[in-house]
Structures are given as structure tokens and as C-alpha cells.
């Protein structure tokens, strides 16, 4: 089963994707994570996108479609979770073509509905374990009091360069201008399902499980 998690920055896509990886053996394909890895590795492409990402703008379709193309050739035991991709109509069309090329289909697009006011708190309170990528939040999922990640035991937590109010404003603008049209696109294709992304993390997990099991 291949699915897309669709929603604005801070909707909880990464948090839910990680849960699906653990519980359903699915493969998370996060273009944001891939781009951040490219930045850290110091590759030429990573350097090119660093500024774009810090500003909160979208990276070119060509780059992200190329990243996804490479990954689709790999193992797909439990199905792919597309997290943060597609983000434009051109990317959505390309994903359809790429899936067809590898003999796969898209079963569901899960729209995570949230309101903008909640996103500022979620984004500015986020930290991530640099060892395993586990996502924490100052209020809703604080880093463990012994300072060690509950998943991998490392004690190095980072905050993203684009997790500030200015970048978030631009990321939201990009979302409404370029990504939200995908809601209509997938509705028309009959694959769109919506869940309440404002509910507690476990409640959102349950809603998504219901979508996948139906
Ligand atoms: P990307 O990394 O994809 O970031 P994003 O879409 O802005 O989404 P986030 O990762 O910020 O949020 P999330 O929905 O995963 O929320 P999370 O689970 O972490 O993209 C970054 C940049 O890369 C883009 O701006 C762009 O420049 C570039 N890029 C990436 N893909 C691209 C593409 N396809 N095309 C072009 N450019 C691309 O949760 C957030 C916080 O809230 C956490 O602290 C978490 O603990 C907390 N939380 C989560 N769920 C809940 C809940 N239910 N209740 C309370 N708290 C919660």
C-alpha cells in the first residue's frame, strides 16, 4: 500500500510517518529529510538548496522528482509513505508516472487538517534527535528528563534552521499557493481521505489506521 501524507508544515506528517514505519513496516520517503541529508553531506546540490530551504521556499520540481525517482527503484516491502512529496501539481503528475513505471499504485492520500495558529507552536517547539531522527516537542512530547532519546539513547537534539516564525510564514504561503491545490486534484481522483491533525498524536494514529484498514 502506497500513501501520501499531505498537510502544511507542522501538520505532523513526519511524526505519523515514523509510526507507520514502526508498526506497518512501510518505507518513509521524506523529500525534506533527503534534502537536509544532501545539505549536511556538503554535496553541490545540498549547497544549492540550503538557502532556498532556510527561506521557506520550495526547491525545484526537477531536484525533488529526481530524488524520489532514485528511491522508487528500491525495496518496497510494506509500501511507500510519501512525506512532503508531492508539493506541486507537476510533482503529483510526475509521481503518478513514476509509480506506473515501477508497476505500483497510489492507494490513499491522507490530508492532515490543522489550523495555522497551532502550527507556530508546533514548529517553534520542535527538536529532533540527531541520532535517529525521532521528533520531540517542548510541550507535547518533551525530550526525556535523562537527556537520552527514548528510541536510540543518544543525547544530541537539534532544531531546524527553517523552524522560525519568518520561514514558517513563507512555508505556509508556499503551501497555500502551490500544495493545497493537490487536495482538489486527489479528491477528483477519488483517493483523498481527511483526518483531524489537531487531535493528540495517538488519536491521529488511530484515524490514519482506520483509513488504511478500510
Ligand atoms: P519538510 O521537511 O517536508 O518540512 P514541512 O513540510 O514544512 O513539514 P515539517 O517537517 O516541518 O512538519 P511535519 O508535518 O512533518 O510535522 P512533525 O511531525 O515534524 O520540508 C522542508 C523544506 O524542504 C521545504 O520548506 C522546502 O524548502 C523543501 N522541500 C521538501 N520537500 C519538497 C518538495 N517536495 N518540493 C519542493 N521543496 C521541498 O511535527 C511538528 C511538531 O509538532 C513536532 O514537534 C511534533 O512532536 C509535534 N506534533 C506532531 N503531531 C502532533 C499532534 N498531533 N499534537 C501535538 N503535537 C504534535
Amino acid at each position: 500500500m502506497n500513501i501520501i501524507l499531505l498537510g502544511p508544515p507542522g501538520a505532523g506528517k513526519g511524526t505519523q510517518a515514523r509510526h507507520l514505519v514502526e508498526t506497518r513496516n512501510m518505507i518513509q520517503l521524506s523529500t525534506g529529510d533527503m534534502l537536509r541529508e544532501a545539505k549536511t553531506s556538503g554535496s553541490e546540490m545540498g549547497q544549492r538548496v540550503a538557502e532556498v530551504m532556510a527561506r521557506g521556499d520550495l526547491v525545484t520540481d526537477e531536484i525533488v522528482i529526481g530524488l524520489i525517482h532514485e528511491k522508487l527503484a528500491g525495496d518496497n516491502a510494506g509500501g511507500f509513505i510519501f512525506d512532503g512529496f508531492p508539493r506541486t501539481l507537476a510533482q503529483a503528475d510526475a509521481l503518478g508516472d513514476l509509480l506506473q513505471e515501477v508497476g505500483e499504485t497510489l492507494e490513499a492520500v491522507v490530508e492532515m487538517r490543522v489550523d495555522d495558529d497551532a502550527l507556530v507552536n508546533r514548529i517553534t517547539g520542535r527538536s529532533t534527535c540527531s541520532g535517529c531522527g525521532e521528533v520531540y516537542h517542548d510541550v507535547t512530547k518533551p525530550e526525556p528528563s535523562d537527556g537520552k532519546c527514548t528510541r536510540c539513547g543518544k543525547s544530541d537534539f537539534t532544531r531546524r534552521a527553517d523552524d522560525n516564525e519568518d520561514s514558517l510564514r513563507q512555508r505556509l504561503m508556499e503551501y497555500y499557493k502551490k500544495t493545497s491545490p493537490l487536495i482538489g486534484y486527489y479528491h477528483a481522483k477519488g483517493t483523498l481521505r481527511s483526518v483531524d491533525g489537531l487531535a493528540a498524536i495517538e488519536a491521529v494514529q488511530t484515524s490514519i489506521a482506520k483509513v488504511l484498514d478500510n
Side-chain angles (χ1 to χ4, degrees), residues 8-15 31-32 35-36 53 57-59 64 84-85 87 91 122-123 126 135-137 140 160 162 171 197 199-201 204:
K13 304 179 294 294
T15 300
T31 39
L35 291 164
R36 277 183 290 279
M53 292 174 75
D57 290 333
L58 290 189
V59 169
V64 289
F85 181 92
R87 263 174 145 103
Q91 291 178 24
R122 284 197 187 177
I123 290 288
R126 170 167 56 187
V135 181
Y136 293 90
H137 187 276
T140 55
R160 276 172 40 181
D162 57 347
R171 284 156 70 193
I201 292 175
V204 182

Side-chain angles (χ1 to χ4, degrees), residues 3-214:
I3 66 164
I4 293 172
L5 294 181
L6 182 65
K13 304 179 294 294
T15 300
Q16 296 300 327
R18 292 177 71 79
H19 178 70
L20 292 171
V21 169
E22 277 166 19
T23 55
R24 295 184 183 239
N25 199 26
M26 295 179 81
I27 296 166
Q28 178 186 10
L29 296 183
S30 157
T31 39
D33 287 349
M34 292 175 208
L35 291 164
R36 277 183 290 279
E37 272 168 34
K39 254 183 1 178
T40 314
S41 74
S43 70
E44 197 225 328
M45 185 269 276
Q47 287 168 12
R48 261 194 291 144
V49 299
E51 242 182 68
V52 176
M53 292 174 75
R55 272 201 311 268
D57 290 333
L58 290 189
V59 169
T60 64
D61 289 336
E62 191 195 358
I63 288 179
V64 289
I65 291 167
L67 288 170
I68 289 290
H69 192 184
E70 278 173 29
K71 301 284 177 181
L72 288 188
D75 177 35
N76 179 19
F80 291 119
I81 308 158
F82 297 97
D83 162 10
F85 181 92
R87 263 174 145 103
T88 62
L89 290 167
Q91 291 178 24
D93 282 339
L95 178 62
D97 293 345
L98 290 173
L99 285 172
Q100 202 175 8
E101 227 176 75
V102 294
E104 294 282 346
T105 50
L106 186 64
E107 273 73 33
V109 177
V110 181
E111 179 205 3
M112 304 181 63
R113 285 200 178 149
V114 283
D115 71 50
D116 292 358
D117 291 343
L119 300 178
V120 179
N121 289 333
R122 284 197 187 177
I123 290 288
T124 53
R126 170 167 56 187
S127 63
T128 307
C129 168
S130 55
C132 66
E134 186 69 1
V135 181
Y136 293 90
H137 187 276
D138 295 343
V139 177
T140 55
K141 190 180 166 189
E143 291 165 17
S145 51
D146 65 359
K148 291 185 179 159
C149 173
T150 43
R151 199 150 170 268
C152 74
K154 290 219 169 137
S155 30
D156 182 27
F157 301 92
T158 56
R159 297 204 181 240
R160 276 172 40 181
D162 57 347
D163 276 355
N164 57 69
E165 287 200 46
D166 282 347
S167 293
L168 177 62
R169 207 168 302 122
Q170 181 59 17
R171 284 156 70 193
L172 274 174
M173 193 68 84
E174 291 283 77
Y175 176 79
Y176 288 117
K177 273 200 304 205
K178 297 174 183 167
T179 309
S180 64
L182 298 185
I183 295 170
Y185 176 98
Y186 286 116
H187 176 72
K189 284 185 179 282
T191 43
L192 188 77
R193 306 286 179 271
S194 298
V195 299
D196 175 13
L198 278 179
I201 292 175
E202 295 72 20
V204 182
Q205 287 167 356
T206 306
S207 310
I208 293 178
K210 273 191 199 148
V211 168
L212 302 197
D213 293 337
N214 285 332

